[in-house]
Amino acid sequence: MNLAELNTIANRMVARGRGILAADESTGTIAKRFDKIGVENTEPNRRDYRELLFRCAEGMKHISGVILYDETIRQKSADGNGTPLVKLIENAGAVPGIKVDKGAQKMALDPDQTVTEGLDGLRDRLVEYHKLGARFAKWRATYNPTKPSWNSINANAHALARYAALCQENGIVPIVEPEVLMDYDNDIDTCASITEWVLKEVFQELYYAQVKLEGIVLKPNMIVPGMKAAKQASVEEVADRTIQVLKRCVPSAVPGIAFLSGGQSDEDATAHLSAMNARHKLPWHLTFSYGRALQAAPQKAWSGKKENVPAAQNAFAHRARMNGLAAMGEWNKGLEKAA
Ligand code: 13P
């Protein structure tokens, strides 16, 4: 393992004022997004949509890395020159990455929880993805905080650690993504206590697997009440509770933490990140690795129409810029209105 190289990549992924675009929706997940905007889920449509993002110079200024899906890392641009989409990302100064997990499956005898699969054959797939240009990878585990089970927390932590070790062995920085879901009616205390438990287990397993923390990026959820909770939380409370849990669990050897948006509104995801950076002195870089919170606006603006590409790129550039500012603690609501 070349730890200096991994550390350099990890630091690029969390460089000041930039963050990660999670464009790694599986074919099934992008179908749900396209459904909402009335776009047929075909290979050329998926390519055209993602190409418009990667070619958006104004947006990509704030993007340090892009997480791709298996199809996208092999796709060529529609420019007639056969330019790989990976090349567009590199030309924009961002690091290409790849989702390598095979999704969360129902846990046997524990139907309220899932375990993420995809370890079989992973070493060979990582070798191939590295050749295709990937320098980081992503593996996501999910947890239902209303029905916690040690078995699922332990199984997912173990899988994340085995994945992370395989990545580092092959010169790829693992994004370690344990996501306590915000889909339920639990309060913010429950999210905090389950996230703390999950992170403790994850870092323990990373240690046993000999994963070097200088060569990973953590992608956690923020500490929020469930979407169906009776009481929601203020921006400051989310920021302070999230930092409290992270400080308890994440060693300062980790170069950076890049949050998922998890179903928060675009503006909430930005406001929370900015408040964390503005209100706290932190041992790691704190940034975004958003899927929905970066893409909902451009998807709506695009709606599958060629003539809407400039509007979609403007929408993407705006969200990328807002989140870039949030990563420095410099965002405020007025900037949204001004735009
Ligand atoms: P969201 O920001 O939409 O939660 O997606 C991030 C991601 O990569 C989930 O795995």
Side-chain angles (χ1 to χ4, degrees), residues 286-331:
L286 217 61
T287 187
F288 57 92
S289 175
Y290 294 160
R292 283 162 284 182
L294 274 172
Q295 295 188 71
Q299 279 164 4
K300 200 164 162 219
W302 177 57
S303 293
K305 299 201 174 68
K306 223 183 174 122
E307 63 270 25
N308 291 342
V309 165
Q313 289 181 325
N314 281 341
F316 171 56
H318 174 65
R319 287 269 44 94
R321 192 167 74 84
M322 293 297 105
N323 286 308
L325 288 168
M328 300 183 290
E330 291 171 7
W331 172 89

Side-chain angles (χ1 to χ4, degrees), residues 66-86:
V66 181
I67 319 176
L68 301 169
Y69 183 58
D70 181 78
E71 174 185 87
T72 323
I73 201 170
R74 304 167 193 282
Q75 257 170 341
K76 306 245 187 320
S77 123
D79 65 3
N81 302 324
T83 313
L85 294 189
V86 167

Side-chain angles (χ1 to χ4, degrees), residues 219-287:
K219 176 163 173 170
N221 52 282
M222 296 181 194
I223 305 302
V224 289
M227 270 184 242
K228 298 178 192 146
K231 186 168 170 281
Q232 289 302 314
S234 68
V235 169
E236 292 74 20
E237 189 181 1
V238 170
D240 296 353
R241 298 291 301 261
T242 303
I243 296 303
Q244 182 180 50
V245 168
L246 292 175
K247 282 191 168 171
R248 286 176 182 173
C249 302
V250 185
S252 57
V254 173
I257 298 174
F259 291 101
L260 58 95
S261 59
Q264 299 179 46
S265 74
D266 296 358
E267 208 172 304
D268 280 354
T270 307
H272 291 150
L273 176 62
S274 196
M276 283 183 233
N277 278 306
R279 292 165 67 84
H280 296 276
K281 195 169 167 328
L282 301 167
W284 345 263
H285 288 264
L286 217 61
T287 187

Side-chain angles (χ1 to χ4, degrees), residues 143-147 180-192 194-195 224-232:
Y143 311 85
N144 169 354
T146 68
K147 302 264 173 65
V180 175
L181 296 165
M182 58 177 288
D183 302 344
Y184 302 92
D185 63 356
N186 58 281
D187 59 15
I188 192 166
D189 292 339
T190 304
C191 179
I194 301 302
T195 303
V224 289
M227 270 184 242
K228 298 178 192 146
K231 186 168 170 281
Q232 289 302 314

Side-chain angles (χ1 to χ4, degrees), residues 4 14 47 60 86 99-101 114 122 144 148 167 170 174 216 223 241 247-248 255-256 295 298 302 312 325-326 333:
V14 296
R47 176 205 57 209
M60 292 298 285
V86 167
K99 184 227 299 288
V100 300
D101 69 65
T114 59
L122 180 56
N144 169 354
C167 286
N170 288 286
I216 75 163
I223 305 302
R241 298 291 301 261
K247 282 191 168 171
R248 286 176 182 173
Q295 295 188 71
W302 177 57
L325 288 168
K333 225 181 166 56

